[in-house]
Each structure stands twice: as C-alpha cells, then as structure tokens.
Amino acid sequence: MPRVSPAKLVDAFVASFGQKPTWIVRAPGRVNLIGEHTDYNGGFVLPVAIDRAAWIVLRPRSDGRVWAESLDFHAATGFSLKIARELTPSTRSHPLAWARYLEGVAWSLQQEAFALTGWTGVIRGDVPIGAGLSSSAAIEVATARAFATTSVLPWQPVRIAQICQRAENAWVGVNCGIMDQWIAAAARAGHALLIDCGRLQSHEVPIPRGVAVVILDTGTRRDLRDSSYNQRRQECEEAACLLGVKMLSELSWEEFQSRQAILPEPYRRRARHVISENKRTLEATQAMRAGNVERFGRLLSESHQSLRDDFEVSSPALNLMVELAESESGCFGARMTGAGFGGCALALVAADRAAEFAERVAAQYQKQARCEAKVYVCRVTDGAQVWPAAEAENVACLGDESHTCI
Ligand code: GLA
C-alpha cells in the first residue's frame, strides 16, 4: 500500500476544490503488543500507534455540511450535520462503508451536545483494511480530529475514544472495545500504552532500546461485521454471567481456577483466555519496564497459543507466520495481533537483526503459503495530530519515510 504524502493530499485538495485547505489531520493505526480480546471484558491491553495512518486535509465550511472525497475509494460523500444529528443509528445505510464512519462520528459527537462546524476534505490512508491494524479506528479518530479542529473542541483523548467507539458500535454495527480508538487518540511516540479498560486509566510504557516491532501481514483479510467477533464477545458475556460477575476481568487467575469447573465448553476456554491474557499483559508490562525482552517475547508466544487454542480466533496463515517468525534467530516472540481470523501477526525482534529477519520470514512464508507476505519494521508514533496545511512539506517526512523492508 503506497504511503500517504500529506503534500500530495494538499495538491489533490486544490485540484478538486480550487482553494487551499486549512488543516491536515492524521490518526494512526495500531498494533497491539499483548492483551487481545480483553478490552471489552474490562481488562488490560498494551497497544502502540504505528506509522500507518488515516489523513484528512480539510477546510471548514459554514453551511452545516460535510463533503469528503476518498482518494483510496475514488468516491465522494456529502451529508448535512443536521441530518446526521437526526438520523438514528438504525438508519445507517450508506452504501460507502468508509462514509459510514464519518457520519457515525458526526452523529456520536452530537450525541454529546457538541456544536459542530462542517468541513470539506480529502481523505487518504495507508493502514491496510481488514488486516487487524485498526484502519477503522484511524478513520474515526481522524474524523473526530477534523471536527475538533473546525469546531474548536477540546481534545480529550479518552472521551474522544468513547465517542468513536460508540460510532463503531451503534452506527457501523461492530461491538468493538475501546482499545483501538484510545491508542489512536492518545498515543505517544516511542511508548506503548497500558490501558485498564475497566477503570478507564492508562500508563505510558517506553519501548526498550534495541528492539523492533515487526508487523507480519499474512495477506489474508476479514470483515469484523461478518466474522465471529461479535459472537466471541457474546460468549464472554455469557461466561461472565455463569461465573456471577459483570465482566470476566473482575476475576483473578486464582479465582477463575477455583470456579472454572462450573463452566461448560466453549465458555471455559474463552474465559481462560481472557483471564490468563490479563495476567500476561501485566507481566509483559513489567518485563518491558525492566527491559527484559526475552520474558516479554515468551509472553507473546503464550498469548498466541491461548488465542489459537482457547479463544479460537487465529487462522492457519497466522499460525504459519508465527511459527516462521519464532524459528528465526533474533526473534524474542511472535503472535497474531488484533481481532484475528486473518490479517497480521507481530514479532519482537532485536533491532540490528530486524531487516534480515523481515526478508527471511517473508521469503519463507511466500514459499510455504504461496501467498505474498508484507513484512515491515514499524515506527512507534504519536496519536492523532493536527497541523496547518501550509506546513504540509514539513509533516511529509512522517508519511514518506518508508520502513517497508520488502
Ligand atoms: C478489534 C477491536 C478491539 C479489540 C480487538 C481484539 O481490534 O476493535 O476493540 O477487541 O479486536 O483485542
């Protein structure tokens, strides 16, 4: 997927509208280091924001409307903010999936009684869609950043994350947790964010020197609206109910072990994953703080096994990728990342071996899966940002600098 150049986006805006844009906004995709399928169970997650993002260049308008062109989909959408306020989520019927995120965020912001100023914008992204890197949260949070800028709203990352999550749950129809929107809104470069999704608290954790986060894209894709994502969430809710708690993360590992016998399958395995994953995420955070990357890597591998065997959201392509990554020297550990069912794995690799690692794993995967893998070392970036459009040339470095190894 070609990297976005903000300067070229500005040119595209001028070509379409004959005027200069005022602002550039960016909201990143993410890779979750550990803590998978725990967010909607009130548990812990440890994501980072990556150097792949949704970008919007825009100009405010005063007629209460939004008009946006997507360069990725070669399509445009327009809507009145008044209609967005009055539409109910059940009338979400926009034939263009990406446009639904824009409308959903406009609707959700107005549910909080924010008075919105509309905008004209050009949108482009380089987060691969359906790959488990949160392209949807990136477009949602970029849209929120655009409205926050034109409407002079305070940027309160957690509140914005909740607003975008509501857009995705109620408008788009995916019952996701809060992780993706939170990291896209709040990330700090060079840091992972430990989020306690139950208490709505977070702590920054610096990424140790000398390690690289490598994304291993299997090339397989899924759509969360059709996948078993909502079903897994429901299974977790039923397991919690059987165990007499509101959310699975209320139970410690020891409490779960003493009570698990009452759970029929598959509820027992689902709950075991969530509760053990919470424990692993806290241990991994400690290991990262102590610079113990070997320990961190082992926890990644355990997380993968749990997602594969207990939560059953991995896939043959993801399992192969993880196996290939772990067989390479310099790799501390690997696992699938995101919702699963396809998409990407991640590996933690010694930085000085990362380029060679990426090439070797990609070649092996291609040979065995007969499918092209995209493997790249990612930079851990800031969350949502905004710049005056006149500075496009200066922000271009972030979009232009490619870390793709093959
Ligand atoms: C998707 C959802 C997140 C989270 C992950 C699994 O990315 O959007 O809220 O549940 O899956 O950890």
Side-chain angles (χ1 to χ4, degrees), residues 197-217:
C197 302
R199 293 184 190 84
L200 295 182
Q201 291 169 356
S202 68
H203 302 278
E204 290 172 354
V205 188
I207 306 283
R209 287 186 178 279
V211 291
V213 177
V214 182
I215 295 176
L216 308 144
D217 188 345

Side-chain angles (χ1 to χ4, degrees), residues 64-328:
R65 293 186 62 79
V66 169
W67 178 261
E69 284 185 16
S70 162
L71 298 188
D72 300 312
F73 296 101
H74 308 288
T77 187
F79 58 92
S80 156
L81 290 169
K82 202 151 162 247
I83 293 174
R85 186 163 59 228
E86 284 161 10
L87 276 173
T88 63
S90 60
T91 57
R92 55 173 189 256
S93 57
H94 205 293
L96 300 171
W98 62 271
R100 250 180 258 149
Y101 294 109
L102 271 57
E103 286 185 358
V105 171
W107 164 78
S108 191
L109 280 164
Q110 291 181 96
Q111 292 292 300
E112 305 273 308
F114 284 131
L116 298 188
T117 299
W119 41 271
T120 301
V122 172
I123 304 178
R124 176 153 228 170
D126 51 20
V127 188
I129 294 172
L133 301 178
S134 280
S135 58
S136 38
I139 185 69
E140 287 158 7
V141 174
T143 303
R145 200 69 174 110
F147 279 119
T149 306
T150 57
S151 318
V152 200
L153 309 178
W155 189 252
Q156 300 165 314
V158 183
R159 187 168 183 203
I160 293 289
Q162 288 172 313
I163 288 168
C164 292
Q165 182 194 12
R166 178 170 55 206
E168 179 133 3
N169 292 167
W171 200 278
V172 180
V174 175
N175 256 332
C176 65
I178 198 169
M179 164 172 68
D180 306 344
Q181 293 80 5
W182 189 321
I183 188 72
R188 179 163 157 221
H191 291 71
L193 199 62
L194 175 70
I195 306 175
D196 178 340
C197 302
R199 293 184 190 84
L200 295 182
Q201 291 169 356
S202 68
H203 302 278
E204 290 172 354
V205 188
I207 306 283
R209 287 186 178 279
V211 291
V213 177
V214 182
I215 295 176
L216 308 144
D217 188 345
T218 61
T220 56
R221 295 290 180 260
R222 60 24 178 188
D223 180 342
L224 286 190
R225 284 168 305 170
D226 319 322
S227 77
S228 306
Y229 183 87
N230 287 347
Q231 188 197 335
R232 285 292 177 282
R233 182 164 181 162
Q234 210 182 329
E235 287 166 352
C236 289
E237 281 162 12
E238 284 167 27
C241 187
L242 290 167
L243 289 163
V245 289
K246 202 157 161 270
M247 282 198 262
L248 284 176
S249 300
E250 287 166 35
L251 294 175
S252 69
W253 176 243
E254 290 69 28
E255 284 166 335
F256 168 70
Q257 278 183 315
S258 68
R259 289 199 221 166
Q260 61 166 318
I262 63 164
L263 288 179
E265 293 297 2
Y267 301 103
R268 189 189 316 187
R269 279 180 290 134
R270 304 294 188 251
R272 186 165 58 199
H273 165 71
V274 171
I275 296 166
S276 63
E277 184 78 351
N278 274 330
K279 191 166 170 278
R280 278 188 290 273
T281 305
L282 290 178
E283 284 173 21
T285 304
Q286 266 182 0
M288 190 179 267
R289 286 211 170 104
N292 187 345
V293 283
E294 288 82 9
R295 171 100 189 101
F296 194 95
R298 279 196 299 278
L299 290 159
L300 292 188
S301 307
E302 286 172 24
S303 168
H304 184 76
Q305 286 156 24
S306 176
L307 287 156
R308 183 190 63 201
D309 302 336
D310 279 352
F311 215 64
E312 295 180 287
V313 291
S314 191
S315 69
L318 284 165
N319 294 340
L320 172 64
M321 193 64 104
V322 167
E323 230 172 82
L324 293 173
E326 289 189 331
S327 67
E328 290 294 329

